[in-house]
């Protein structure tokens, strides 16, 4: 069993910043890729950023240059630093691990419960 728990969401004014955190827990041996998705009201879930090992992180074009994804492998955490926030960044943000290697085998597509980010004046 693997759990992803997000934190750090909230209400922020346009131009402000927030940092989201996600911690993975369980009998984890390795997580290669961790990612952040978001889902705005009435829209589908979209990939915001992902990070895999020592490869350059991936960013959606809408957030590139404003958001920074980072991880601490020793703690199985991934963070998303969001700067210059815009009202269109308002969404529920979800942490995702496409594959987790555990002591009981592989677990695919693990999601956190989501954290609300609202950008409004």
């Amino acid at each position: 069993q693997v759990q992803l728990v997000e934190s750090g969401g909230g209400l922020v004014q346009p131009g402000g910043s927030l940092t989201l955190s996600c911690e993975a827990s369980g009998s984890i041996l390795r997580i290669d890729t961790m990612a952040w998705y978001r889902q705005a009201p009435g829209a589908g879930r979209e990939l915001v950023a992902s990070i895999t090992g020592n490869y350059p992180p991936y960013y959606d074009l809408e957030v590139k240059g404003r958001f920074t994804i980072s991880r601490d492998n020793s703690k199985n955490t991934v963070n998303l630093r969001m700067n210059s926030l815009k009202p269109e960044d308002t969404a529920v943000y979800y942490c995702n691990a496409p594959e987790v290697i555990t002591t009981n085998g592989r677990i695919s597509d693990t999601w956190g419960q989501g954290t609300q980010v609202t950008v409004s004046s």
Side-chain angles (χ1 to χ4, degrees):
Q1 185 78 9
V2 173
Q3 286 190 322
L4 301 180
V5 178
E6 302 103 334
S7 61
L11 173 65
V12 63
Q13 292 186 342
S17 299
L18 277 177
T19 298
L20 306 182
S21 296
C22 171
E23 181 175 2
S25 62
S27 303
I28 298 169
L29 296 176
R30 191 178 82 242
I31 306 176
D32 290 326
T33 299
M34 297 190 79
W36 286 96
Y37 285 73
R38 67 185 180 186
Q39 187 167 17
R45 195 170 294 188
E46 61 179 11
L47 177 62
V48 175
S50 66
I51 186 167
T52 302
N54 293 322
Y55 292 96
Y58 163 84
Y59 295 99
D60 182 85
L61 286 177
E62 292 187 2
V63 307
K64 198 167 187 177
R66 299 189 295 122
F67 291 10
T68 303
I69 189 170
S70 61
R71 65 185 292 182
D72 183 340
N73 290 326
S74 67
K75 299 179 181 178
N76 287 321
T77 59
V78 62
N79 297 319
L80 186 68
R81 174 66 176 177
M82 305 184 293
N83 295 326
S84 302
L85 283 161
K86 306 174 182 179
E88 50 264 43
D89 294 318
T90 295
V92 178
Y93 284 71
Y94 296 91
C95 181
N96 171 258
E99 184 179 73
V100 180
I101 310 301
T102 75
T103 56
N104 295 316
R106 298 172 184 264
I107 298 178
S108 298
D109 213 22
T110 303
W111 292 90
Q113 81 286 354
T115 186
Q116 176 70 46
V117 172
T118 302
V119 185
S120 175
S121 55

